[in-house]
């Protein structure tokens, strides 16, 4: 009996060995990650809030010419900066002005935490907030800063532009936790936006896309871009003139929205997402567009004021 069963088993095994192996089952679909707490800021002191379904106006203050940047450490700790040295803080309920100790226009804001926040702007101004007060860290009237981003409190980058002898040049400064130093100067280009996935993977955008690998900055592409954000090093979005949206897959930049496509506005300026399949870009005429991982579509903003920046809480 055992010999008989052995022969049968061998035959079955040999037959099975010639069969095509079954493919592994597909992974379960990934649940969508959707922002339920996002903010967009712009002209006339406009602040819009997104609850995951609708954009509603939280603030409109005509005494504030423009709000240029927004960032927060949490849903109840959000900063908006803009003209005249304006700094507004949101505690989860109310937007309140803070004493910024500058009257210079502030164009960008970022922090490593709620008590370590940097705001950059015109006249080479860099302000720092320690959770109690804003203090000037740097000022140079020969240039102006547009954007700021960091990977930690001791690794912060700021980009800007200068004009001298009829020539524009871009500037990249770096903060090591103690002092700001010039890291890169390039003639005849502008830089506006800044984002990175780590200290050795940073993108600066403007008339060109520059990439920092932790050692040096190298150009990747010539474009006209104002904002950049990514979900990962291989999933980066950049937006700019003629309402163009570009995407980087870790190797190549490709155009996702062509100029004027689908009734898009003249210009996009800010971009942010909770994931690579939940991305928002804002710009001219109160335009807000959303990317679901496949398609870009326009959302109802409830405002026609120019929007400069968008940021939200990642779920």
């Amino acid at each position: 009996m055992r010999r008989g069963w052995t022969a049968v088993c061998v035959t079955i095994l040999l037959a099975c060995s010639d069969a095509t192996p079954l493919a592994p089952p597909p992974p379960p679909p990934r649940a969508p990650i959707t922002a339920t707490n996002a903010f967009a800021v712009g002209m006339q002191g406009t602040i819009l809030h997104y609850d995951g379904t609708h954009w509603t106006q939280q603030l409109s203050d005509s005494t504030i010419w423009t709000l240029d940047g927004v960032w927060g450490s949490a849903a109840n700790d959000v900063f908006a900066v803009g003209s005249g040295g304006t700094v507004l803080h949101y505690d989860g309920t109310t937007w309140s002005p803070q004493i910024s100790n500058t009257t210079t226009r502030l164009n960008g804001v970022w922090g490593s935490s709620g008590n370590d926040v940097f705001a950059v702007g015109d006249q080479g101004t860099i302000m720092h907030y320690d959770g109690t007060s804003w203090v000037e860290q740097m000022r140079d009237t020969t240039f102006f800063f547009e954007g700021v981003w960091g990977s930690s409190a001791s690794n912060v980058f700021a980009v800007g532009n200068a004009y001298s002898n009829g020539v524009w040049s871009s500037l990249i400064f770096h903060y090591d936790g103690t002092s700001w130093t010039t890291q890169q100067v390039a003639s005849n280009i502008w830089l506006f936006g800044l984002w990175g996935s780590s200290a050795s993977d940073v993108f600066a955008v403007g008339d060109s896309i520059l990439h920092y690998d932790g050692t040096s900055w190298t150009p990747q592409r010539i474009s006209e871009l104002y904002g950049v954000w990514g979900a990962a090093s291989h999933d980066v979005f950049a937006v700019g003139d003629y309402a163009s949206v570009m995407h980087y897959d870790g190797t190549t930049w490709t155009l996702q929205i062509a100029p004027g496509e689908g009734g898009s506005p003249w210009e996009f300026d800010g971009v942010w997402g909770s994931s690579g399949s939940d991305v928002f870009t804002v710009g001219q005429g109160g335009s807000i567009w959303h990317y679901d991982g496949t398609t870009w579509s326009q959302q109802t903003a409830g405002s026609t004021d120019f929007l400069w920046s968008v940021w939200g809480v990642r779920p």
Side-chain angles (χ1 to χ4, degrees):
M1 289 292 294
R2 290 183 180 179
R3 289 182 181 179
W5 277 110
T6 300
V8 171
C9 291
V10 169
T11 302
I12 292 173
L13 288 171
L14 287 173
C16 291
S17 66
D18 293 332
T20 302
L22 295 175
R30 184 176 60 179
I33 300 174
T34 305
T36 58
N37 222 335
F39 303 84
V41 302
M43 300 291 289
Q44 303 296 319
T46 295
I47 300 179
L48 305 179
H49 178 259
Y50 184 68
D51 62 3
T53 305
H54 304 289
W55 288 92
T56 56
Q57 189 160 278
Q58 279 192 332
L59 184 70
S60 180
D61 187 344
S62 60
T63 65
I64 302 172
W65 181 55
T66 183
L67 292 171
D68 295 288
V70 60
W71 173 88
S73 68
N76 60 353
D77 186 31
V78 187
F79 299 82
V81 301
S83 59
T86 297
V87 176
L88 302 178
H89 180 261
Y90 184 66
D91 62 4
T93 304
T94 307
W95 286 94
S96 305
Q98 290 189 330
I99 298 173
S100 67
N101 292 314
T102 184
T103 56
T104 301
R105 177 172 175 168
L106 299 173
N107 299 313
V109 59
W110 174 88
S112 67
S113 67
N115 57 11
D116 181 44
V117 186
F118 299 85
V120 302
D122 293 353
Q123 299 183 20
T125 299
I126 299 179
M127 306 297 297
H128 180 260
Y129 182 69
D130 63 1
T132 302
S133 60
W134 288 92
V135 176
E136 185 177 275
Q137 282 192 334
M138 181 176 172
R139 184 178 176 86
D140 188 326
T141 58
T142 63
F143 59 89
F144 54 93
F145 286 115
E146 292 283 357
V148 59
W149 176 88
S151 64
S152 69
S154 59
N155 190 58
V156 187
F157 300 85
V159 297
N161 306 285
Y163 183 78
S164 177
N165 299 321
V167 177
W168 283 100
S169 59
S170 64
L171 303 160
I172 300 177
F173 277 70
H174 180 259
Y175 183 68
D176 62 4
T178 302
S179 60
W180 288 92
T181 55
T182 307
Q183 198 174 56
Q184 174 90 353
V185 179
S187 298
N188 295 312
I189 68 169
W190 289 55
L191 291 175
F192 297 99
L194 191 63
W195 175 86
S197 68
S198 70
S200 58
D201 181 47
V202 187
F203 297 86
V205 301
D207 291 347
S208 179
I209 300 175
L210 304 181
H211 179 259
Y212 183 68
D213 62 4
T215 302
S216 60
W217 290 89
T218 55
Q220 287 189 329
R221 183 187 174 106
I222 296 174
S223 300
E224 294 183 39
L225 302 167
Y226 299 124
V228 59
W229 173 88
S233 60
H234 59 277
D235 195 13
V236 185
F237 299 82
V239 301
D241 253 353
Y242 313 110
S244 58
V245 176
M246 302 197 69
H247 180 260
Y248 183 67
D249 62 5
T251 303
T252 307
W253 286 94
T254 56
L255 195 64
Q256 282 195 334
I257 295 183
E261 180 180 335
S264 59
W266 183 258
E267 178 181 315
F268 286 134
D269 284 271
V271 59
W272 174 87
S274 69
S275 70
S277 58
D278 184 42
V279 186
F280 301 85
T281 182
V282 300
Q284 181 188 22
S287 291
I288 301 178
W289 285 57
H290 178 260
Y291 182 66
D292 62 5
T294 304
T295 307
W296 285 93
S297 58
Q298 189 170 9
Q299 292 188 323
T300 302
S303 173
T304 58
D305 289 310
F306 206 121
L307 299 173
W308 293 109
S309 182
V310 58
W311 174 88
V313 181
R314 297 183 73 170

